[in-house]
Amino acid sequence: MFLQRPSFRIVLLFFGAFGLAACGGGADTNAEKPVPVTTRTVAVSTAPIVLEAVGRTEGSKEVEIRARVSGIVQKRLYDEGSFVRAGAPLFQIERAPFEIALAQAKATADQMEATNDQARREADRLAGLLASAAVSNCI
C-alpha cells in the first residue's frame, strides 16, 4: 500500500540512484602505486638489562636525640653522618643562664642555712629561759 504511491516510488528511486553515485567514482591513482616498507634483518645479540625503581631508604637503627636541658646552642660538636660514642657531648650550650641559676640556688641554700642557724640560736636561748622559768611553756 505504501509502495503503490507514485511519490514514494520517486523518492525511493532518487535515494537509490544517489547512493550508487556516491559509492562509485574514478580510479584512485594512489592505490596503484606500491606502498614503501622498511625491513630489518633479525639477529641475536646481547643487551644490557637496566632496572630503575623508586625507593626510600631508612637506617637499620633510629636514635631519637632529646635535650636534657634547654638553652641556646653555641656549637655542634659532631659532624653530620659521623659515628658518636655513647655519652659523648653533642652540643655546647650557652653557660650564662645555668651559672646564674646555680648562683641563685647557692644563695637560697645559704639563706636557708642562716635561717636554720638563727632558729637554733633562738631555740637554745628559749630553752635556757624555759629552764629558769622566765618564759611560759604554752606556745
Side-chain angles (χ1 to χ4, degrees), residues 9 13 21 25 29-31 34-35 45 62 77 81 88 92 94 100 115 131 133-134 136:
R9 286 183 187 167
L13 185 65
T29 58
N30 290 336
V35 178
S45 64
E62 286 190 28
L77 302 175
Q92 182 178 355
E94 184 181 20
I100 291 169
T115 304
S136 124

Side-chain angles (χ1 to χ4, degrees), residues 97-110:
F98 301 107
E99 290 173 349
I100 291 169
L102 178 63
Q104 287 177 343
K106 284 182 180 179
T108 303
D110 291 344

